[in-house]
Amino acid sequence: MKKELKAHTKIFTVSLLLLTAFTFVSCEYAVWEGFYRKHNVSERAASLYSLPDSDAPDPTLAKGKYFVAAFSDIHLYTSKSTLGDRNPFKDGLKKQLTALKELSDANPTKNLFPKFTLCLGDIADHGTESEYVEYKTFTDELKTDLNLVTYNVLGNHDLYNTGWEPYEKLVYPYKSFYRFNTEKFSWYVLDSASGSLGPAQLKTLEEACKEDARPKIFLMHCPMYGDWTLNMGYFTLQNSYESDRLITLAQNSNVKLVMEGHTHKYNEHQIGNFVEHTVSSLRAEHEWTLLLVNEDDATTQRFRITEDVETKEDFARILADYLE
């Protein structure tokens, strides 16, 4: 009887601790929105938006061989914390890009400095407006100081606390489902922030790809491939039917690369004719991806840039083959 009582006491204690933890997290992340969310993917991605508009740079100026800087999962957190500065990676990224610019200036024919940047989602940690204001300040600095425009992907954390509303107001290009063209590539940004593309977005994407023979790059937050090693599929698209359709679409529509975030870890798969590349978390792992795009032969190459890459000499080492 005493053993049974002790066992029940342990179960009760563990349950109470879990409930307390859930309640604490719920207050910050609005976990209850998992049961109801004001804006669903079919509303956010009701139509495919085409760039550039009057505010956009002209990405078609990106020609031949060029680089793109891709980062993900920065989880900006503006609440006061005893942990101090939770976002030191911002200065680190700017210093690395500045070092890369120095190398580019020393090799003017190699076109080393990125034409633009990509953020693959989870910009905010809690989805609050103050987090997006801080992010806009950061990307404005990239544009002013380094002439880099950032194209953004919506992540799951960006939806917390009805985060879509400030995101849509503050984060360029103010859409979650859009496309733009470089010289020969079509770039499609998908809304997978809810763990699903939804039937409307997927159908629209399929129809758009059917009319578009150009080589393509897909950008999204949640990985498309149900790799069981990623927490038994938790960090991938949750609908296997959608995942299968998306993989088939990529295989049959001249897609060369699919880039994602969400897992916080680097991962790469060759799936048929295309590569799936998961960009590591800039905040958690202090790592990002330098993407080399070759418009002439429709190929890409990815370079992992870790926090120990600090100088133009470090970048020269990583890009040695390209610099030859």
Side-chain angles (χ1 to χ4, degrees), residues 73-79 85-90 122-128 130-139 157-158 283:
D73 293 87
I74 60 176
H75 292 272
L76 284 172
Y77 182 25
T78 58
S79 300
D85 183 6
R86 299 177 66 108
N87 307 312
F89 55 81
K90 294 188 298 181
D122 279 1
I123 291 166
D125 198 50
H126 298 83
T128 61
S130 60
E131 291 166 348
Y132 294 121
V133 169
E134 182 175 349
Y135 178 71
K136 185 178 184 303
T137 299
F138 173 56
T139 54
H157 273 253
D158 300 324
R283 172 180 166 180

Side-chain angles (χ1 to χ4, degrees), residues 44-84:
R44 297 191 306 266
S47 60
L48 178 61
Y49 184 69
S50 294
L51 291 176
D53 59 19
S54 57
D55 296 328
D58 185 358
T60 58
L61 296 177
K63 300 179 180 181
K65 292 182 181 180
Y66 59 88
F67 287 90
V68 174
F71 60 90
S72 189
D73 293 87
I74 60 176
H75 292 272
L76 284 172
Y77 182 25
T78 58
S79 300
K80 292 181 180 179
S81 170
T82 57
L83 296 179

Side-chain angles (χ1 to χ4, degrees), residues 24 30 42 46 69 106 118 133 177 184 189 192-193 204 220 227 244 246 260 310 314:
F24 176 76
S42 294
L118 304 169
V133 169
F177 180 35
K184 297 176 182 176
V189 176
S192 64
T204 300
M220 54 197 290
D227 186 346
D244 289 346
L246 188 58
E260 311 137 340
E310 298 177 338
D314 293 330

Side-chain angles (χ1 to χ4, degrees), residues 91-154:
D91 289 338
L93 177 62
K94 285 188 68 176
K95 287 179 181 177
Q96 288 178 315
L97 289 171
T98 300
L100 181 56
K101 189 175 188 306
E102 292 175 1
L103 180 64
S104 182
D105 290 344
N107 297 270
T109 63
K110 292 296 184 177
N111 209 16
L112 294 173
F113 194 69
K115 292 297 183 184
F116 51 87
T117 54
L118 304 169
C119 179
L120 297 172
D122 279 1
I123 291 166
D125 198 50
H126 298 83
T128 61
E129 183 163 347
S130 60
E131 291 166 348
Y132 294 121
V133 169
E134 182 175 349
Y135 178 71
K136 185 178 184 303
T137 299
F138 173 56
T139 54
D140 284 349
E141 289 174 0
L142 289 180
K143 186 175 181 180
T144 301
D145 299 344
L146 297 170
N147 197 30
L148 286 171
V149 172
T150 305
Y151 297 91
N152 296 285
V153 176
L154 185 70

Side-chain angles (χ1 to χ4, degrees), residues 15 17 30 54 80 87 103 108 115 167 187 195 226 236 253 270 274 292 313:
S15 299
L17 288 172
S54 57
K80 292 181 180 179
N87 307 312
L103 180 64
K115 292 297 183 184
Y167 183 105
W187 302 65
T236 63
S253 300
Q270 181 74 44
F274 67 92
L292 172 61
E313 289 77 18

